[in-house]
Amino acid sequence: MPVDTSEKDLEAAIESVLVSEAKGTSAEPDAPYDVGGYTPGGYRKRSPADYNRARCLIPGDLFDFVVATQPSEWQKLKKQFGTDAKDRFVQKVYQEIEKRGTLNVLRRGVRIHGARFKLVYFKPSTARNPDLQEKYRANVFTVVRQLPYSTDSEHTLDLGLFLNGLPIFTAELKNPLTGQTYRDAIHQYRSARDPREPFFQFGRCLAHFAVGSEEVYMTTHLRGDDTYFLPFNQGYDGGAGNPPNARGPRTSYLWMHVWARDSILNLIQHFIATIDRLDDDGTPTGEKILIFPRYHQMRSVRRLVADARTNGAGQRYLIQHSAGSGKSISIAVLAHQLAFLNDADDQSVFDTVIVVTDRRVLDKQIAQVILQFEQERGVVADVKEGASGLGKALKEGKRIVIVTLQTFPHVAEAIRKRRGHRFAVIIDEAHSSQTGEYRKHLNDTLSAPSLEAAEAQDATDSDLEDKIAAEIQKRGHQPNVSNFAFTATPKSKTLELFGDKQPDGSYAPFDLYSMRQAIDEGFILDVLQNYTTYTDYWNLLKQIDEDPAYDSKKASRLLQSFVSRHEHTIGKKTEIMVQHFAEKVAHRIGGQAKAMIVTRSRLHAVRFKVAFDRYLQEEGYPYKALVAFSGTVEDKGIEHTERSMNGFSESQTRHVFDRDAYRFLIVANKYQTGFDQPLLHTMYVDKKLGGVNAVQTLSRLNRTHPQKNETMVLDFANEAEAIREAFQPYYERTTLQEGTDPGLLYDLEHQIREHGIVTDRDLDDFAGIWFSGTGTQKQLHSVLDRCVDRYEHATEEEQYDVRQHLGTFVRLYAFLAQVVPFEDVELEKLYVLAKPLLSKLIARLDPSDIPRELLQYVDIDSYRIQEAHTGGMELPQGQKPLPPQKESDGRASATEPEKEPLSRILEALNERFGYDFDEDDRIFIEQLQRNVRGSDAVRKSIEVNSESDARLTFDAVAEDELQEMIDKNFKLYKKIVDNDAFGRLLFDFLFDRTLEAMQAQATDV
């Protein structure tokens, strides 16, 4: 007899698993790619005749559950209504579901004529109450095959799942052996399941599953052809789908584990929620959303909660979830569960959960989700008042406290006063500010036991060594703080700080939802599939008879900067962008497509805005452009702000960009992270991008829209291979090849001592003042000045080496102190002295060592632009780990600058970019920036901030330097800009070159 390949056979197989004998209460899941641990079985098998079509429930199950678990309440009702009690009760439950939805009725129960009934018993948080345990086990789960859902027809659903008589899940099953897949099930739900049927009304069923043997999709709201289904798959081999299963279909995890009794009750109690849809400002739109977790959200939160319950406070977790993963909901659900989590001894694991985020609406989303799970209001506090606000929230017993990255450092003192408290810190996007000195500050803040010990030592006459040891302890592992870091693009230091150390010494995330899986599942678009790069070619003419000599590297950068800002350059790029948009982009997304122009500085953004406005008007295009940049930019004697150029406040820019007429958004270090605009289709890149910054910037395009099938990128500043290399580590699982070698610190310490600038006496004297508690700044400066005096007598090459080694030591020690608990007093002495000494040495540098008169000697001979690469960039499958952090001796750049005649510099530039082009070919830019290595503000910003924040400082200082040049030599400035041959010049060198020079030994945070 041939094998039965029909849907009925799959129905029977699933039913058989569900109604099998239950094997007892299950453990929490712990496998990284499964929700295993939840055992199947324990369902009742009901016939279609047991289902009440008019009331949309199973009265027998509802009655059995209530009578078994709440007999006294049932007797109250029976005394009032006698034999009508059952019908009255069923009718009341139906009416309440009509008004409130099944989820709310399950959570809040119903009241009828003085009797109050629970309609479900969730798993008790404590095992000390046997009665609650028995009632939890009394929940009635039922499966009905070929469910007749309609009162007007005999149409049926393949499967219906019920909890205590109330419908929770439906499923349409398809078997590929009959030529059908989950896609046919989706089509069936959309076309043959009328959403006007009472059974399919929003909120009655919690989820509808389209199930094949290969994949599973689900939805919480049937809307006919507009129904949106989400994948509910485990992921396989770094992408979408499910792994092979030797014991059955790939999708058997659904009925074996997800539909297990304990799993469903856990989902209803801790994951599923009905909330208001919010706009970008956090204002309710009037639309309700029924949240059901996607598979990776359920898996990651369950694993995190299980690990925290087992191991308690003091752990670190890295959750690498791609854009489009629903991190906001994951964080909200996790925050709630951690806030009320008990360990095996029924003791709270955490006293307070702190959520650190930059997203303004996350606090409202969390609050909405919490109110779904807890009837008690006021458990969430959104702190905006700094330390006083946090102190008040903790005093009032708030279990969840939400702070911004900017607010968090100010709440330190309030937390210091909470001794013996255990904290869970959930970090929304593991920004660079969560590492290094900021991370040290957070550990200091949240380490009440260590702080108490330090205070006790400070109150005694303990010697200097003990005080330094106490300071070291505060910076290391904190047993009262667990960190949960969510990020889509972890960097090397983030992996080492938060990731799981593997047996081979590498570091990997605790949980992964990869970029590749998000793309495969359709949650984000692949921004590399239509990628075009351009190369520009230009010639420069020397306009003087003399042949002065300059540092070739610095002069080359300066001349390239001059070319990039030339008025012809901006004009040519504007022409290319607008024409490309009009011909290739404007009709996309149903004629709603928009574009972003990513510029390399605020001044570039200003000039592009002027050029766009002029060109759009002159050519009669029906589009408008907006610009986004911070602060004020002065150009040719005119001050520009985002407000003055757009005509409204900065806070309105993102909202005005939603309007149909506004198709271009020109940005300079704004809207390059955290900006979600589904209509953004094309990006014109005129800025050097690298590493995670490239991924974050280009990912502004990846948001989906029903009519958006692809994206486009035109890149004028980067090579295709560089972009491909930037994306590769984040495509699947990001791992760190190995950890940072702590021995590098001792090598650096030896090198610093060998210079003879810092002596043992300096270290002892400075530490004695620093840790005494009574020292003065004057005393500290006296020690530092001794070091500075020796530094002044060193050669230029030795001075360079000292600065490099001190800077590398400070950065590396601040990071490694978070990973390795150093107990070395001598290293701590050097650390506390090296930071202020480095600042003193940097302040003595000449901020500009480039001959500024160079630009008056050259003019533009010719310019043209040519397409270099177009098409998709395929990322190979398989993991490519990030390289470990390495530190060199810092001498690679310490050689004397190579001086070359100006004619040779121009010749080298023209060889690189092409020459002898027609004069009709106009300017195109590669990068405009100047050398700001002498700025203390830039150095400090790069040291302590994220790359994007440091870039803001960099641009601001570069603009100031340009203005200073104008003030000091206005005639020279006039000569540069005369006859439009030169654009106004900004002395900012390549930002990545600045990073390279200042952080040659450091890997990005």
Side-chain angles (χ1 to χ4, degrees):
M1 184 174 181
V3 175
D4 186 354
T5 60
S6 68
E7 294 172 13
K8 291 184 178 180
D9 183 66
L10 183 57
E11 284 179 26
I14 294 174
E15 180 188 64
S16 175
V17 170
L18 295 177
V19 301
S20 63
E21 182 179 355
K23 299 179 181 180
T25 303
S26 61
E28 292 293 339
D30 55 8
Y33 286 99
D34 201 352
V35 287
Y38 287 107
T39 57
Y43 276 66
R44 287 181 179 180
K45 177 181 178 180
R46 287 283 197 181
S47 71
D50 295 321
Y51 173 71
N52 186 316
R53 303 191 196 189
R55 305 284 177 77
C56 300
L57 48 76
I58 301 178
D61 288 353
L62 178 61
F63 175 74
D64 290 348
F65 169 75
V66 169
V67 172
T69 59
Q70 300 151 89
S72 61
E73 293 298 301
W74 179 252
Q75 288 303 315
K76 290 181 185 179
L77 200 63
K78 192 172 182 181
K79 285 180 181 180
Q80 297 184 61
F81 299 109
T83 57
D84 290 336
K86 184 174 180 180
D87 189 65
R88 290 289 189 99
F89 179 63
V90 171
Q91 178 65 16
K92 179 64 175 179
V93 171
Y94 170 75
Q95 291 172 344
E96 290 299 306
I97 291 177
E98 282 279 297
K99 291 189 295 184
R100 298 189 276 138
T102 298
L103 183 63
N104 187 275
V105 169
L106 284 171
R107 290 226 177 91
R108 304 291 186 254
V110 296
R111 299 179 68 177
I112 176 172
H113 290 273
R116 184 169 185 171
F117 294 94
K118 288 180 177 291
L119 297 188
V120 67
Y121 278 93
F122 293 119
K123 188 172 185 178
S125 60
T126 173
R128 296 175 182 175
N129 191 326
D131 180 59
L132 288 179
Q133 294 286 346
E134 287 299 320
K135 290 181 176 180
Y136 172 71
R137 286 190 284 270
N139 287 305
V140 178
F141 283 83
T142 301
V143 55
V144 179
R145 292 175 58 187
Q146 295 302 311
L147 179 71
Y149 60 84
S150 176
T151 58
D152 298 327
S153 71
E154 293 304 314
H155 293 163
T156 61
L157 284 159
D158 289 342
L159 282 182
L161 303 186
F162 296 79
L163 169 59
N164 300 327
L166 277 58
I168 50 175
F169 302 151
T170 73
E172 292 288 0
L173 312 177
K174 301 299 173 185
N175 192 330
L177 296 179
T178 64
Q180 293 188 314
T181 69
Y182 74 89
R183 293 184 178 87
D184 296 284
I186 290 176
H187 177 73
Q188 191 171 15
Y189 269 120
R190 287 173 173 166
S191 61
R193 301 292 177 250
D194 189 347
R196 293 171 295 182
E197 289 277 359
F199 185 74
F200 293 131
Q201 288 180 0
F202 176 73
R204 188 176 300 279
C205 291
L206 304 183
H208 306 279
F209 291 88
V211 184
S213 64
E214 303 289 318
E215 295 187 57
V216 176
Y217 276 66
M218 55 76 56
T219 187
T220 60
H221 192 178
L222 292 180
R223 301 181 180 185
D225 291 338
D226 294 330
T227 304
Y228 185 60
F229 277 84
L230 301 171
F232 193 78
N233 299 306
Q234 301 174 85
Y236 175 53
D237 196 24
N242 293 292
N245 180 8
R247 295 176 293 179
R250 291 174 184 250
T251 54
S252 61
Y253 64 90
L254 181 66
W255 52 90
M256 292 291 293
H257 301 301
V258 179
W259 288 351
R261 292 165 49 95
D262 294 315
S263 173
I264 289 178
L265 290 169
N266 174 265
L267 284 169
I268 295 174
Q269 183 179 10
H270 294 302
F271 287 89
I272 306 174
T274 304
I275 65 173
D276 294 312
R277 184 184 293 277
L278 304 178
D279 62 19
D280 290 340
D281 293 326
T283 304
T285 63
E287 180 184 358
K288 293 289 185 180
I289 305 171
L290 181 59
I291 295 173
F292 191 96
R294 286 154 59 187
Y295 187 90
H296 68 273
Q297 293 174 306
M298 177 185 68
R299 177 196 64 216
S300 61
V301 171
R302 283 179 170 176
R303 292 186 63 227
L304 289 165
V305 170
D307 195 90
R309 178 185 290 118
T310 301
N311 297 314
Q315 312 305 314
R316 289 172 176 172
Y317 306 92
L318 178 62
I319 303 94
Q320 182 183 347
H321 283 188
S322 169
S325 67
K327 285 193 287 290
S328 295
I329 298 302
S330 298
I331 290 172
V333 171
L334 177 63
H336 164 257
Q337 295 194 42
L338 294 179
F340 298 93
L341 180 65
N342 287 346
D343 59 20
D345 297 324
D346 292 331
Q347 301 297 314
S348 293
V349 177
F350 302 107
D351 300 295
T352 305
V353 176
I354 297 178
V355 181
V356 186
T357 180
D358 268 340
R359 286 185 275 183
R360 294 173 296 170
V361 300
L362 185 60
D363 57 332
K364 295 185 179 181
Q365 290 174 327
I366 290 177
Q368 285 195 81
V369 171
I370 299 305
L371 286 176
Q372 292 285 308
F373 304 135
E374 298 295 328
Q375 297 187 36
E376 175 189 359
R377 289 181 176 269
V379 298
V380 180
D382 180 15
V383 173
K384 296 182 174 68
E385 304 85 11
S388 62
L390 182 64
K392 179 181 178 182
L394 294 176
K395 185 177 180 180
E396 293 175 352
K398 303 294 185 182
R399 302 301 298 267
I400 300 173
V401 180
I402 305 169
V403 301
T404 64
L405 290 171
Q406 294 76 26
T407 301
F408 184 80
H410 301 291
V411 304
E413 191 59 32
I415 297 182
R416 290 179 193 274
K417 297 176 182 178
R418 307 295 296 184
R419 303 184 180 185
H421 251 52
R422 288 159 299 179
F423 294 87
V425 180
I426 303 176
I427 303 166
D428 178 24
E429 288 292 344
H431 300 287
S432 57
S433 52
Q434 271 84 62
T435 55
E437 284 299 294
Y438 179 78
R439 190 68 220 164
K440 171 185 178 293
H441 177 74
L442 186 147
N443 280 335
D444 287 352
T445 299
L446 301 183
S447 56
S450 295
L451 286 169
E452 185 176 8
E455 290 172 3
Q457 287 184 337
D458 289 341
T460 67
D461 292 327
S462 57
D463 62 19
L464 176 63
E465 309 296 328
D466 290 337
K467 292 180 180 180
I468 296 176
E471 183 74 8
I472 296 171
Q473 291 171 0
K474 285 192 293 183
R475 193 175 295 122
H477 171 73
Q478 299 304 317
N480 64 317
V481 181
S482 283
N483 296 290
F484 301 80
F486 283 78
T487 181
T489 50
K491 300 180 183 178
S492 297
K493 285 188 177 180
T494 304
L495 276 162
E496 191 169 352
L497 188 61
F498 296 107
D500 289 351
K501 190 171 185 178
Q502 307 299 301
D504 62 357
S506 64
Y507 291 82
F510 180 85
D511 193 84
L512 171 71
Y513 179 72
S514 69
M515 181 190 301
R516 178 184 162 201
Q517 184 174 353
I519 292 171
D520 289 350
E521 292 183 340
F523 282 105
I524 59 175
L525 297 172
D526 186 352
V527 300
L528 301 185
Q529 285 308 298
N530 295 291
Y531 205 102
T532 300
T533 61
Y534 284 87
T535 298
D536 51 359
Y537 300 91
W538 41 270
N539 240 349
L540 297 179
L541 298 177
K542 184 167 67 74
Q543 292 188 318
I544 58 173
D545 295 332
E546 295 82 2
D547 208 4
Y550 300 107
D551 174 359
S552 61
K553 291 183 179 179
K554 294 175 181 177
S556 295
R557 294 171 187 168
L558 188 59
L559 292 171
Q560 290 178 46
S561 296
F562 156 66
V563 170
S564 75
R565 185 157 294 162
H566 196 285
E567 182 174 317
H568 292 298
T569 299
I570 303 296
K572 184 62 177 179
K573 289 177 181 177
T574 298
E575 180 183 345
I576 292 174
M577 294 174 188
V578 173
Q579 289 182 2
H580 175 269
F581 181 86
E583 296 172 4
K584 305 291 187 181
V585 181
H587 64 282
R588 311 272 179 172
I589 320 182
Q592 303 175 83
K594 298 177 184 290
M596 176 181 285
I597 297 90
V598 179
T599 68
R600 60 195 73 191
S601 77
R602 297 184 303 153
L603 184 54
H604 275 93
V606 166
R607 292 191 172 181
F608 266 112
K609 177 63 163 70
V610 173
F612 262 76
D613 288 347
R614 181 174 57 246
Y615 188 77
L616 291 172
Q617 182 177 7
E618 290 176 352
E619 300 299 322
Y621 285 106
Y623 316 129
K624 293 183 180 181
L626 296 174
V627 69
F629 61 90
S630 59
T632 301
V633 177
E634 183 178 341
D635 188 25
K636 300 179 181 178
I638 301 175
E639 290 189 346
H640 299 278
T641 65
E642 183 176 326
R643 182 188 186 108
S644 68
M645 300 197 82
N646 289 333
F648 41 79
S649 66
E650 292 186 26
S651 63
Q652 293 299 309
T653 300
R654 68 167 60 230
H655 303 297
V656 175
F657 190 52
D658 289 335
R659 300 176 187 173
D660 184 64
Y662 292 91
R663 299 298 190 95
F664 299 100
L665 180 61
I666 303 164
V667 301
N669 294 310
K670 290 183 72 173
Y671 296 106
Q672 289 173 235
T673 59
F675 177 54
D676 295 338
Q677 170 52 268
L679 297 178
L680 199 59
H681 178 279
T682 295
M683 183 175 289
Y684 301 103
V685 180
D686 192 38
K687 173 184 179 181
K688 205 73 173 178
L689 299 174
V692 68
N693 183 250
V695 179
Q696 292 174 341
T697 298
L698 294 170
S699 292
R700 296 312 97 212
L701 293 178
N702 66 20
R703 299 312 191 259
T704 58
H705 183 279
Q707 297 175 278
K708 184 177 175 182
N709 301 313
E710 78 291 296
T711 66
M712 292 185 188
V713 179
L714 267 65
D715 193 329
F716 301 95
N718 302 278
E719 295 180 359
E721 185 59 32
I723 298 298
R724 184 186 292 108
E725 290 180 358
F727 270 78
Q728 183 60 52
Y730 305 105
Y731 188 52
E732 294 181 3
R733 176 182 294 262
T734 306
T735 60
L736 177 64
Q737 195 170 16
E738 62 185 66
T740 304
D741 181 8
L744 294 172
L745 279 176
Y746 294 99
D747 294 340
L748 287 165
E749 180 198 25
H750 174 73
Q751 291 170 336
I752 292 170
R753 289 178 179 272
E754 284 293 302
H755 292 305
I757 305 300
V758 178
T759 68
D760 289 342
R761 178 193 167 194
D762 298 328
L763 294 173
D764 291 338
D765 289 351
F766 192 88
I769 300 167
W770 182 269
F771 293 101
S772 68
T774 60
T776 65
Q777 290 191 23
K778 182 178 179 181
Q779 291 173 317
L780 293 174
H781 280 293
S782 68
V783 179
L784 295 174
D785 287 342
R786 296 201 306 247
C787 302
V788 172
D789 184 63
R790 301 186 197 103
Y791 169 87
E792 289 294 332
H793 289 85
T795 66
E796 183 177 346
E797 182 176 346
E798 289 172 334
Q799 290 178 350
Y800 179 89
D801 288 349
V802 170
R803 297 193 304 271
Q804 290 291 99
H805 293 148
L806 285 172
T808 302
F809 178 85
V810 167
R811 289 188 295 272
L812 191 60
Y813 186 85
F815 170 68
L816 282 176
Q818 311 308 309
V819 182
V820 182
F822 283 107
E823 300 289 343
D824 192 312
V825 170
E826 294 304 315
L827 289 181
E828 182 72 11
K829 287 181 182 180
L830 180 55
Y831 175 71
V832 297
L833 177 139
K835 287 191 65 181
L837 176 59
L838 184 60
S839 296
K840 273 184 169 284
L841 300 185
I842 290 173
R844 305 181 74 82
L845 291 174
D846 182 357
S848 177
D849 55 355
I850 302 176
R852 296 185 176 182
E853 75 278 5
L854 172 64
L855 290 184
Q856 66 179 313
Y857 300 151
V858 297
D859 196 1
I860 299 164
D861 179 33
S862 61
Y863 174 88
R864 71 178 173 88
I865 185 168
Q866 179 173 308
E867 187 176 290
H869 164 88
T870 188
M873 288 189 282
E874 295 296 331
L875 295 175
Q877 297 182 15
Q879 301 176 23
K880 180 180 180 181
L882 294 172
Q885 300 184 77
K886 300 294 184 182
E887 303 292 342
S888 65
D889 63 5
R891 296 182 60 86
S893 302
T895 58
E896 285 295 321
E898 178 184 359
K899 299 288 185 177
E900 293 187 6
L902 178 58
S903 57
R904 292 188 183 179
I905 297 172
L906 296 179
E907 181 181 351
L909 287 172
N910 289 329
E911 285 181 0
R912 175 181 176 186
F913 293 99
Y915 62 98
D916 288 333
F917 298 114
D918 295 339
E919 292 188 359
D920 291 339
D921 297 328
R922 292 190 177 180
I923 297 282
F924 208 128
I925 177 174
E926 186 178 66
Q927 188 92 24
L928 174 63
Q929 295 177 352
R930 66 159 301 245
N931 179 10
V932 289
R933 282 179 293 169
S935 167
D936 187 42
V938 170
R939 290 175 177 273
K940 289 182 178 179
S941 184
I942 290 176
E943 179 182 348
V944 303
N945 289 324
S946 67
E947 187 170 311
S948 60
D949 289 341
R951 181 56 192 268
L952 293 176
T953 303
F954 179 89
D955 286 344
V957 171
E959 294 288 349
D960 290 342
E961 289 295 325
L962 176 61
Q963 185 61 50
E964 181 181 342
M965 186 195 78
I966 299 171
D967 294 340
K968 290 183 177 180
N969 195 332
F970 187 71
K971 290 183 179 179
L972 176 60
Y973 173 72
K974 287 287 290 181
K975 191 169 185 177
I976 293 174
V977 299
D978 189 40
N979 295 325
D980 292 329
F982 290 83
R984 182 163 175 213
L985 184 63
L986 179 66
F987 279 28
D988 54 339
F989 275 69
L990 295 173
F991 182 57
D992 56 348
R993 293 292 183 88
T994 303
L995 284 175
E996 179 182 332
M998 294 177 58
Q999 295 181 307
Q1001 286 81 21
T1003 303
D1004 283 340
V1005 175

